[in-house]
Amino acid sequence: MEICLGELSARLGVTLIGDATVSVSRVAQLTNADARSLAFLGDSKYRRHLEATAAGAVILSKADAGACHMPVLLSDNPYLTFARAARILHPDSPVIGGRHPSAVIDPDARVDPTAWIGPLVVLEAGVLIGPRVFVGPGCILGEGVRIDEDSRLIARVTLCAGTQVGKRALLHPGAVIGREGFGFARDGERWIRIPQVGRAVLGDDVEIGANTAVDRGAIGDTVIGHGVKLDNLIQIGHNVEIGDNTAIAGNAGISGSTRIGRNCTIAGAVGIAGHLSIGDDVHFTGMAMVTRSFPEPGSYSSGIPAMPSAEWRRNVARFRHLDDLTRRLKHLESLLETMKETTERGNS
Amino acid sequence: MEICLGELSARLGVTLIGDATVSVSRVAQLTNADARSLAFLGDSKYRRHLEATAAGAVILSKADAGACHMPVLLSDNPYLTFARAARILHPDSPVIGGRHPSAVIDPDARVDPTAWIGPLVVLEAGVLIGPRVFVGPGCILGEGVRIDEDSRLIARVTLCAGTQVGKRALLHPGAVIGREGFGFARDGERWIRIPQVGRAVLGDDVEIGANTAVDRGAIGDTVIGHGVKLDNLIQIGHNVEIGDNTAIAGNAGISGSTRIGRNCTIAGAVGIAGHLSIGDDVHFTGMAMVTRSFPEPGSYSSGIPAMPSAEWRRNVARFRHLDDLTRRLKHLESLLETMKETTERGNS
Amino acid sequence: MEICLGELSARLGVTLIGDATVSVSRVAQLTNADARSLAFLGDSKYRRHLEATAAGAVILSKADAGACHMPVLLSDNPYLTFARAARILHPDSPVIGGRHPSAVIDPDARVDPTAWIGPLVVLEAGVLIGPRVFVGPGCILGEGVRIDEDSRLIARVTLCAGTQVGKRALLHPGAVIGREGFGFARDGERWIRIPQVGRAVLGDDVEIGANTAVDRGAIGDTVIGHGVKLDNLIQIGHNVEIGDNTAIAGNAGISGSTRIGRNCTIAGAVGIAGHLSIGDDVHFTGMAMVTRSFPEPGSYSSGIPAMPSAEWRRNVARFRHLDDLTRRLKHLESLLETMKETTERGNS
């Protein structure tokens, strides 16, 4: 996709300073750009790269526009403008309706003629595929799965029976949505599996990363809100509810029946216990261990950052006695209090 | 599946109080049940939902049976009775023997005529499939894999060469069982891969969650005992042995050659180092970091629960000096001891 | 594979003590070996197993060779010699060129005639498969994927568009390489996805475990160096670079744009934040939480090892007040200093 800066600035709604006829055809970093590349400066501390860059044009904020030798696109939020420009320069390929002959499609599945069903896909009975949906190679869609318009399953996505996917969703390879969750009752030493009769329901604009698993509800549904973004290798237990526009990074795990609010960010490898309630605008930093509800907005953390192993071993050994340590400190405090009084009496 | 309470109570072996001709056809929660639903009250603290529920019948304990306006099934363990009732109301669909024409089945594979081999399945040479086994779409079974009667592979399960699966197992999409594990010898800076010649052997009534990986043994087998339940995204290293009826929650990882006893529960994201020995009836809470053997029954924990980030930063900064802190405390204690003696001598 | 000890010792370049005509055909542990098995003793503390073993031959160091009743192969590094012997006794099966008729191969894909394309594989346009490459059942290779000679994809590996794989790589089931990574710009409450236009590039002799995910670069490439070994269920974010011969164990996660040096070992479930720089020869112990760069070689750790839950609860409660505790200690120290001076003045 090649576009001249005049048209690009118009589509982005930003001011262009420089030659409007210059064309760009891809995005690049300042440090590896060429004359056909559009780069951006998101943080003034990288300003030194501006002078050396060979980029055809740069998106930056007014403050950094100073002595730029190439055309610039002015933006209050260069990163966001860059994201939009990147989508113009690197658009998703359009979906061409059809079915690969190797796909196994149940006669009871309904597929919009503008949707693409790729090679070696399986669609079971009752599947409903909306307009312009892309179902890439090797996907398996169980009974009664519904996918709304413009959603894309890149490849090898498994949607178990009953899973519902909204519009413009993006599902990556290895994702498993709607499997029967982990529900058992104990019978003496044995575990009795409890049928999981709910569904997994994904809103519009949801993204699910590679090898991420979202279990169906036990009774009632697991609900992933609109605009929720899940990275790779995440585990979402049964009956979890995630509010709109919450983003969760890789290796995180949310245990069953926990509710998470809107606009939260949950960093990598965070673990959230079950049956908790997390409010809107809550942010957990990486590897946080969440064992209680956090209804209030804010940033929450846990974990001990890595340090040299020898130092860590010494501190950890002390941690085992932290309770004892605290008691000893208390004892000293009261002892000292007594001594002080005694001394003061002695001195008076 | 519709069943009248008279028959249901008889099959469950529990006492019915109320109209035996009332029928139920599904399970539900007290809060969203209708007249055709069977609900349960597992914990007296939710008793308030009893009055408002529209459930056709409720399973509860004698203590809660009081002023119930609908038929009740009395149970000493309402949750277990509910699990059993759910399996009656929502039975697995029966397996109908046959092979989908798109399956790729080696002539040397033996499939019981009552087993189902789904679309786009691959069975390599020497595979042995027992009676009433369900092999869902997209599963791949390597050379010499054996699956015993009544096991179900929902979809897209990969069983690598030599894997053995017992009876009534339930394997979810994305599970990878019996891959060659992570075994290397160092040769200068390079790693020399060591062929892994053992197998992965799963007992009866095993459940393996979505995208969980169980490596084959290096020499000798990786052994998953009867009734073991593994959730999603779990990593089980080579030559691990897991005792009967142990349950492991999502994102956990067990390193190579560790032995885990019977009836253990291992919560989400627990990490267990290699070559350890964990006894029977050991329980690890979520995200526990297990670096030594725990031969004795009991509950074990680690990790720092999340707290406001500012507070966490202050405490973590102190943790780095915990050893120093302890030494300073000790110093104070001895100093104080000396001073006390001095003071006492002074006062005497 | 059967081989006599004379030939084996010659191929391994080690000294044989004993009957050169004895043959072995497999590797085993000392404790479960038979007369056709080759075992090894890597650590003198297991010397007691030597007497009881039924192994046909044993690899050990000179120090342990003493009173051995069976033929021995002397090695300075028995484990490495064992690894090499195991590869001789259990060689990979040779790859026989061809294509399974069920594979879906784009006419624009180029496959070396000595490579094997297994059942139900999908090769999209522009795929390039080198000599003796093995592409097992169910693999999906997107547009423009290139795999160099002698690499093996066991089964169900997904290589997204543009992924490059070097020579002699070994990729396990469920691995997803080169998916579009997790890159968004915030637009008010919504997330705008940023097209990811880089690639995932794997060097020679790379191993990727089951269900591991390696994202493509956002701009520029994600680079996995030669000889890098990744275990199962690992997440590698976009634009990560990993130096040669670094090994990473299961459940670990590396966030975007972090660079890791050569010859590092990263244990299980380690989490490394984004945009960090980790030097050569850095070792992180299990579950370490890496929040800053570690440019220097060394071993680094974090986390609290598991302890009895009651004890843990007490210590954790104190941890929340560690900052306060430290302040109180400081206060005591200064108080005591004052008292000492006072006492000394009093006594003088």
Side-chain angles (χ1 to χ4, degrees):
Chain A
M1 177 78 190
E2 180 161 336
I3 190 169
C4 71
L5 295 177
E7 190 190 336
L8 185 60
S9 63
R11 285 182 63 180
L12 294 170
V14 299
T15 302
L16 167 69
I17 303 180
D19 184 349
T21 66
V22 167
S23 279
V24 288
S25 60
R26 58 182 160 271
V27 294
Q29 292 164 310
L30 285 169
T31 48
N32 65 5
D34 64 15
R36 312 304 298 267
S37 303
L38 174 68
F40 81 108
L41 177 70
D43 189 331
S44 298
K45 76 178 170 193
Y46 298 114
R47 222 156 152 174
R48 65 182 187 282
H49 295 315
L50 268 188
E51 283 173 41
T53 190
V58 177
I59 301 168
L60 38 61
S61 67
K62 222 176 218 169
D64 292 315
C68 235
H69 59 279
M70 80 285 292
V72 299
L73 297 164
L74 292 183
S75 168
D76 293 340
N77 186 341
Y79 190 54
L80 175 57
T81 300
F82 177 76
R84 288 195 179 124
R87 298 192 67 156
I88 291 171
L89 289 165
H90 304 271
D92 293 330
S93 11
V95 176
I96 295 161
R99 303 165 177 213
H100 193 276
S102 65
V104 176
I105 302 180
D106 189 279
D108 260 1
R110 278 184 296 157
V111 179
D112 189 279
T114 62
W116 167 248
I117 307 300
L120 304 174
V121 164
V122 177
L123 304 186
E124 298 195 340
V127 165
L128 194 57
I129 304 288
R132 297 172 306 279
V133 166
F134 177 88
V135 180
C139 292
I140 297 173
L141 279 59
E143 276 189 36
V145 165
R146 198 194 73 215
I147 305 182
D148 292 346
E149 59 202 69
D150 297 306
S151 286
R152 288 173 184 251
L153 283 63
I154 299 300
R156 230 190 70 203
V157 170
T158 305
L159 303 182
C160 297
T163 296
Q164 310 289 300
V165 177
K167 299 170 186 168
R168 297 174 303 278
L170 180 59
L171 277 59
H172 289 283
V176 177
I177 315 295
R179 82 120 186 162
E180 278 206 62
F182 205 59
F184 303 94
R186 197 122 207 197
D187 180 16
E189 295 197 339
R190 295 188 314 131
W191 298 99
I192 303 294
R193 182 168 61 89
I194 303 174
Q196 308 280 303
V197 302
R199 300 171 307 169
V201 177
L202 279 53
D204 299 335
D205 301 298
V206 164
E207 181 165 337
I208 307 279
N211 290 336
T212 279
V214 178
D215 289 347
R216 77 173 67 156
I219 305 178
D221 297 331
T222 301
V223 180
I224 309 295
H226 298 307
V228 167
K229 309 297 181 188
L230 302 185
D231 197 357
N232 300 341
L233 291 161
I234 292 171
Q235 152 68 354
I236 307 288
H238 49 194
N239 294 96
V240 165
E241 296 182 23
I242 302 181
D244 294 354
N245 297 315
T246 282
I248 306 184
N251 296 92
I254 320 287
S255 303
S257 300
T258 281
R259 284 160 167 247
I260 295 175
R262 298 161 54 101
N263 301 318
C264 297
T265 58
I266 297 174
V270 167
I272 305 187
H275 298 273
L276 301 181
S277 179
I278 308 300
D280 296 341
D281 296 297
V282 167
H283 308 284
F284 291 115
T285 59
M287 298 181 93
M289 167 174 157
V290 182
T291 56
R292 65 167 177 90
S293 291
F294 285 91
E296 297 304 318
S299 174
Y300 304 94
S301 303
S302 71
I304 305 290
M307 63 192 78
S309 298
E311 189 182 317
W312 168 77
R313 268 190 297 271
R314 282 194 302 270
N315 290 321
V316 154
R318 300 312 191 178
F319 179 84
R320 295 184 171 285
H321 303 288
L322 192 51
D323 185 50
D324 176 52
L325 201 77
T326 308
R327 288 174 195 284
R328 282 159 57 193
L329 182 66
K330 268 190 189 157
H331 177 69
L332 277 196
E333 284 170 336
S334 67
L335 203 64
L336 214 56
E337 194 54 36
T338 315
M339 286 178 63
K340 237 174 98 184
E341 284 165 16
T342 311
T343 311
E344 279 159 10
R345 269 202 306 277
N347 289 345
S348 64
Chain B
M1 178 78 192
E2 181 162 335
I3 190 169
C4 72
L5 295 177
E7 190 189 336
L8 185 60
S9 63
R11 287 180 63 180
L12 294 169
V14 300
T15 303
L16 168 69
I17 302 180
D19 184 350
T21 67
V22 167
S23 280
V24 289
S25 59
R26 59 181 159 271
V27 293
Q29 292 164 309
L30 285 170
T31 48
N32 65 5
D34 63 14
R36 311 305 297 267
S37 303
L38 174 68
F40 82 107
L41 178 69
D43 188 331
S44 298
K45 77 178 170 194
Y46 298 113
R47 221 156 150 174
R48 65 182 186 282
H49 295 316
L50 267 188
E51 283 173 41
T53 191
V58 178
I59 301 169
L60 38 61
S61 68
K62 221 176 218 170
D64 292 315
C68 236
H69 59 279
M70 80 286 290
V72 300
L73 297 164
L74 293 183
S75 167
D76 292 343
N77 186 340
Y79 190 54
L80 176 57
T81 301
F82 177 77
R84 288 192 178 126
R87 298 192 68 157
I88 292 170
L89 289 165
H90 304 272
D92 292 332
S93 11
V95 176
I96 296 161
R99 303 166 177 212
H100 193 275
S102 64
V104 177
I105 303 179
D106 189 279
D108 260 1
R110 279 185 295 158
V111 179
D112 190 279
T114 62
W116 167 248
I117 307 301
L120 304 174
V121 163
V122 176
L123 303 187
E124 299 194 341
V127 165
L128 193 56
I129 305 287
R132 297 172 306 280
V133 167
F134 177 88
V135 180
C139 292
I140 297 173
L141 279 58
E143 276 188 37
V145 164
R146 198 195 73 214
I147 305 181
D148 292 345
E149 59 202 69
D150 298 307
S151 287
R152 288 171 185 252
L153 284 62
I154 300 299
R156 230 190 70 204
V157 170
T158 305
L159 303 182
C160 298
T163 296
Q164 311 288 300
V165 178
K167 300 168 187 169
R168 296 175 303 278
L170 180 61
L171 279 58
H172 289 283
V176 177
I177 315 295
R179 81 121 186 161
E180 279 206 62
F182 205 60
F184 303 94
R186 198 124 205 193
D187 180 16
E189 294 198 338
R190 295 188 315 129
W191 298 100
I192 303 294
R193 184 167 60 89
I194 303 174
Q196 308 279 303
V197 302
R199 301 171 306 168
V201 178
L202 280 52
D204 300 334
D205 302 298
V206 165
E207 181 165 339
I208 307 279
N211 290 336
T212 279
V214 177
D215 289 348
R216 76 172 68 157
I219 305 178
D221 297 331
T222 301
V223 180
I224 310 294
H226 299 306
V228 168
K229 309 298 180 187
L230 302 184
D231 197 358
N232 300 341
L233 290 160
I234 292 171
Q235 152 69 353
I236 306 289
H238 50 193
N239 294 96
V240 165
E241 296 182 23
I242 302 181
D244 294 353
N245 298 315
T246 282
I248 305 184
N251 295 92
I254 320 288
S255 303
S257 300
T258 281
R259 285 161 166 246
I260 296 175
R262 299 161 52 100
N263 301 318
C264 297
T265 58
I266 296 174
V270 166
I272 305 187
H275 297 273
L276 301 182
S277 179
I278 309 298
D280 297 340
D281 296 298
V282 168
H283 308 284
F284 292 115
T285 59
M287 297 180 93
M289 167 174 158
V290 182
T291 56
R292 66 167 176 91
S293 292
F294 285 91
E296 296 304 318
S299 174
Y300 305 94
S301 304
S302 72
I304 305 290
M307 62 192 79
S309 299
E311 189 182 317
W312 168 77
R313 267 190 297 270
R314 282 194 302 270
N315 290 320
V316 154
R318 301 311 191 179
F319 179 84
R320 295 185 171 283
H321 304 286
L322 193 51
D323 185 49
D324 176 52
L325 200 77
T326 308
R327 286 174 196 284
R328 282 159 57 192
L329 182 65
K330 267 189 189 159
H331 177 69
L332 278 197
E333 284 170 337
S334 69
L335 204 65
L336 214 55
E337 193 53 35
T338 316
M339 286 179 63
K340 239 174 97 184
E341 284 165 15
T342 312
T343 310
E344 279 159 10
R345 269 203 305 277
N347 289 345
S348 64
Chain C
M1 177 78 189
E2 181 162 336
I3 189 168
C4 72
L5 294 177
E7 189 189 337
L8 185 61
S9 62
R11 287 181 62 181
L12 294 170
V14 299
T15 304
L16 168 69
I17 303 181
D19 184 349
T21 67
V22 166
S23 279
V24 289
S25 60
R26 57 180 160 273
V27 294
Q29 292 164 310
L30 284 170
T31 49
N32 66 4
D34 63 15
R36 313 304 298 267
S37 303
L38 174 70
F40 82 107
L41 178 69
D43 189 333
S44 299
K45 75 177 172 194
Y46 298 113
R47 224 156 151 174
R48 65 182 188 283
H49 295 316
L50 268 188
E51 284 174 40
T53 190
V58 177
I59 301 167
L60 38 61
S61 67
K62 223 177 217 169
D64 291 316
C68 235
H69 60 281
M70 81 286 291
V72 300
L73 297 164
L74 292 183
S75 167
D76 293 342
N77 186 342
Y79 191 53
L80 176 57
T81 302
F82 177 77
R84 288 194 179 122
R87 298 191 67 155
I88 292 170
L89 288 165
H90 304 272
D92 292 332
S93 10
V95 176
I96 297 162
R99 304 167 175 209
H100 193 275
S102 64
V104 177
I105 302 179
D106 189 280
D108 260 1
R110 279 184 296 158
V111 178
D112 189 278
T114 62
W116 167 247
I117 307 300
L120 305 174
V121 164
V122 176
L123 304 187
E124 299 196 340
V127 165
L128 194 55
I129 305 288
R132 298 173 303 280
V133 167
F134 177 88
V135 181
C139 291
I140 296 174
L141 279 59
E143 275 189 37
V145 164
R146 197 194 75 215
I147 305 181
D148 291 346
E149 59 202 68
D150 298 306
S151 287
R152 288 173 184 251
L153 284 62
I154 299 299
R156 230 190 69 204
V157 171
T158 305
L159 303 182
C160 298
T163 297
Q164 310 288 298
V165 177
K167 300 168 187 169
R168 298 174 302 279
L170 179 60
L171 279 58
H172 289 283
V176 177
I177 314 297
R179 81 121 186 161
E180 278 207 62
F182 205 60
F184 303 94
R186 197 124 205 194
D187 180 16
E189 294 198 341
R190 295 188 315 129
W191 297 100
I192 303 295
R193 182 167 61 88
I194 303 175
Q196 308 280 303
V197 303
R199 300 171 305 169
V201 177
L202 279 53
D204 299 335
D205 301 298
V206 165
E207 181 165 337
I208 307 278
N211 290 337
T212 279
V214 178
D215 289 348
R216 76 171 69 157
I219 305 178
D221 296 332
T222 301
V223 181
I224 310 295
H226 299 307
V228 167
K229 310 298 180 185
L230 302 184
D231 197 356
N232 300 340
L233 291 161
I234 292 172
Q235 152 69 354
I236 306 289
H238 50 193
N239 293 96
V240 165
E241 296 181 24
I242 302 181
D244 294 353
N245 297 315
T246 282
I248 305 184
N251 296 93
I254 319 290
S255 303
S257 300
T258 281
R259 285 160 166 248
I260 295 174
R262 298 162 53 100
N263 301 318
C264 298
T265 57
I266 297 175
V270 167
I272 305 187
H275 297 273
L276 301 182
S277 179
I278 308 299
D280 297 341
D281 296 297
V282 168
H283 308 284
F284 291 115
T285 59
M287 298 181 93
M289 167 173 157
V290 182
T291 56
R292 65 167 177 91
S293 291
F294 284 91
E296 296 305 319
S299 174
Y300 305 95
S301 304
S302 71
I304 305 290
M307 61 191 81
S309 298
E311 190 182 315
W312 168 77
R313 266 190 297 271
R314 282 194 303 271
N315 291 321
V316 154
R318 300 312 190 178
F319 180 85
R320 295 185 171 284
H321 303 287
L322 193 51
D323 184 51
D324 176 52
L325 200 76
T326 309
R327 287 174 195 284
R328 282 160 56 193
L329 182 65
K330 269 187 189 160
H331 177 69
L332 278 196
E333 285 171 335
S334 68
L335 204 65
L336 213 56
E337 194 53 36
T338 315
M339 285 178 62
K340 238 174 99 185
E341 285 165 13
T342 312
T343 309
E344 279 159 12
R345 269 201 307 275
N347 290 344
S348 66

